[in-house]
Amino acid sequence: MKKLAIIFWFYSACGLVAQDKIDLVFNETTHEFGSIDASERAVAVFSFVNVSANPVYIYHIEETYGCSIIYYSHRPVLVGATGTITVQYNHIGNYGEFAKSIYVKVSNGTDNRTLEFKLTGNILPPATNNKDKFVYRQDGLAFREKGVDMGAIIKGFVANKYFEVYNYSSKPIRLDFADVPNFMDIAVEGTHTIEPYKTAKIKVKYNSGKAKYLGKLTSNILLKINKKNEIKFPIKANIKEDFSSVSVADFQNKSEIRVTPDYINLGRIETGKQYKTKLKIENRGASPLKIHNIIVPVYTTYSKLKNNTLNSGQSVILELTIETDKINILNEKRYISIISNDFINPILDVYLQGWSTSSIFINKKY
């Protein structure tokens, strides 16, 4: 099952020739803000390259929630040129997790189509006192969340995010950091010593260009308290490939990922048993297919691919091992994500399915 497609190609219902179809390559169609403070601005920029045979233009945009300011390219976007759609989400008075959609109507003068774009994130509510604001507490320090979500970052870009730490103890606490990856800088603004009942602001600088992989990544850094106790603190990000320089020629000679089977049905599951299965990854396109990353659930392991770059017509086998005793009913991830340079499916998900007579797994998909 294909989770994300960021190329839209359309044919008119009237049997038009190939020159009348609309081909647009977007950097993303879903923008993840991650966690943001109620005082922060939430702005997403969707950029696209017109790889059609004709100019296209945006003639209408509508939203489902009425809380945004939207700017877009009003002039026709020529063949090979780039257009943008900028969305500023007004979240004042709205807190918690959100998922919003906007619908963009495009035309090439002959064919008209509607595209959907999504905004997701979590707005942290304001608080009148530190007890309500910093709800996660450990070893004298308190946090608003159990980690930091940087949201979506286009490969090569640098993202900055701040989070606050509160010292709820009666003694000063020195805060240091360990196990910080080379693509990330994390530092306390000001002194590393946090006085009793005071807060400190921490800056996270995330250089996605230095990150080895694409996709949803979690880096568990260590917060060292008084150089003794340690708190594991996850920092998450979703790094996406930059398609902004795609040309018409690139599109015409694109790579194309094909995975078989497109879902895995384990059938009846016996708890504690190990299951092995295989996926075939094939390049059906003209250009080399580069497999950037493979993300699996915690109960699944996979063998290293013999080749991460597949020329046209080549394939490789991905061997998977599923440990059923590690499956957690609270774990929402029920699919394997294969991240590649395919314009159409940069993130391709293969879903796992099965059932068990156990009360834990009955009628559950995983």
Side-chain angles (χ1 to χ4, degrees):
M1 186 175 293
K2 299 171 182 178
K3 182 181 179 183
L4 174 64
I6 61 172
I7 286 193
F8 300 90
W9 71 110
F10 304 110
Y11 295 89
S12 168
C14 300
L16 298 176
V17 294
Q19 286 84 350
D20 291 322
K21 67 176 182 176
I22 298 174
D23 294 318
L24 304 176
V25 179
F26 282 83
N27 259 358
E28 58 180 353
T29 56
T30 297
H31 183 80
E32 301 140 287
F33 288 104
S35 296
I36 58 178
D37 191 84
S39 61
E40 291 184 61
R41 295 173 67 237
V43 179
V45 179
F46 299 100
S47 64
F48 64 91
V49 180
N50 178 17
V51 291
S52 308
N54 297 304
V56 298
Y57 60 92
I58 299 170
Y59 66 91
H60 183 68
I61 293 182
E62 60 186 43
E63 52 181 316
T64 58
Y65 48 95
C67 300
S68 293
I69 301 173
I70 303 174
Y71 307 92
Y72 61 93
S73 307
H74 288 271
R75 295 182 178 181
V77 180
L78 302 179
V79 176
T82 300
T84 59
I85 303 166
T86 302
V87 183
Q88 180 177 328
Y89 174 51
N90 181 7
H91 54 73
I92 296 176
N94 299 313
Y95 309 116
E97 295 184 355
F98 67 89
K100 306 294 183 181
S101 294
I102 63 171
Y103 297 91
V104 179
K105 296 185 178 182
V106 298
S107 177
N108 60 7
T110 304
D111 195 17
N112 303 319
R113 296 296 174 181
T114 301
L115 316 176
E116 181 182 9
F117 299 89
K118 296 180 180 180
L119 306 174
T120 66
N122 181 27
I123 308 298
L124 301 177
T128 57
N129 59 74
N130 287 328
K131 182 178 180 181
D132 293 337
K133 185 176 182 180
F134 299 99
V135 294
Y136 300 102
R137 301 189 169 208
Q138 184 176 346
D139 296 332
L141 293 181
F143 310 87
R144 300 193 71 179
E145 291 189 294
K146 293 181 178 179
V148 174
D149 189 345
M150 303 294 294
I153 310 173
I154 301 299
K155 180 71 172 179
F157 285 72
V158 176
N160 296 304
K161 187 155 286 194
Y162 293 87
F163 68 94
E164 290 181 298
V165 178
Y166 173 62
N167 178 3
Y168 65 86
S169 72
S170 59
K171 297 180 180 180
I173 291 179
R174 178 178 173 83
L175 180 61
D176 295 286
F177 311 100
D179 291 352
V180 180
N182 65 348
F183 53 84
M184 191 186 306
D185 291 323
I186 181 168
V188 181
E189 288 200 337
T191 176
H192 278 252
T193 299
I194 308 173
E195 297 298 327
Y197 312 114
K198 298 293 183 180
T199 61
K201 183 175 286 188
I202 315 297
K203 179 181 179 180
V204 179
K205 182 179 180 181
Y206 202 112
N207 187 344
S208 66
K210 294 183 179 180
K212 185 177 180 180
Y213 300 107
L214 296 178
K216 294 184 178 181
L217 308 179
T218 299
S219 302
N220 290 310
I221 66 170
L222 295 179
L223 307 184
K224 298 180 70 68
I225 301 173
N226 294 326
K227 298 185 177 181
K228 296 180 181 179
N229 297 341
E230 296 178 344
I231 299 176
K232 184 180 291 186
F233 196 75
I235 298 180
K236 301 178 181 180
N238 187 6
I239 303 178
K240 301 181 178 181
E241 185 160 3
D242 185 2
F243 292 123
S244 61
S245 60
V246 171
S247 67
V248 176
D250 292 334
F251 177 74
Q252 293 172 344
N253 296 283
K254 61 184 179 295
S255 58
E256 181 183 344
I257 189 171
R258 180 68 60 87
V259 177
T260 52
D262 57 1
Y263 77 97
I264 298 172
N265 188 349
L266 298 176
R268 185 179 183 277
I269 298 298
E270 294 183 23
T271 305
K273 186 176 179 180
Q274 185 183 87
Y275 290 82
K276 293 183 180 292
T277 188
K278 296 180 180 180
L279 294 175
K280 180 181 179 181
I281 305 174
E282 184 180 2
N283 180 12
R284 295 283 185 91
S287 295
L289 175 72
K290 297 180 180 179
I291 301 171
H292 296 304
N293 196 9
I294 297 173
I295 301 175
V296 298
V298 294
Y299 48 81
T300 304
T301 58
Y302 65 93
S303 60
K304 184 178 179 180
L305 295 178
K306 293 182 178 180
N307 190 2
N308 287 76
T309 300
L310 304 178
N311 293 322
S312 179
Q314 288 186 331
S315 62
V316 68
I317 299 298
L318 175 65
E319 298 180 351
L320 301 162
T321 301
I322 299 168
E323 304 280 356
T324 58
D325 59 345
K326 295 181 180 179
I327 296 178
N328 187 337
I329 192 172
L330 298 178
N331 188 331
E332 296 181 356
K333 184 172 176 58
R334 303 289 186 256
Y335 50 85
I336 297 158
S337 298
I338 302 173
I339 301 167
S340 71
N341 65 333
D342 183 337
F343 300 153
I344 298 176
N345 290 291
I347 303 175
L348 189 147
D349 290 337
V350 178
Y351 283 81
L352 294 164
Q353 185 176 12
W355 64 278
S356 171
T357 55
S358 166
S359 60
I360 296 179
F361 304 119
I362 190 167
N363 295 328
K364 296 292 180 183
K365 292 183 179 181
Y366 47 88

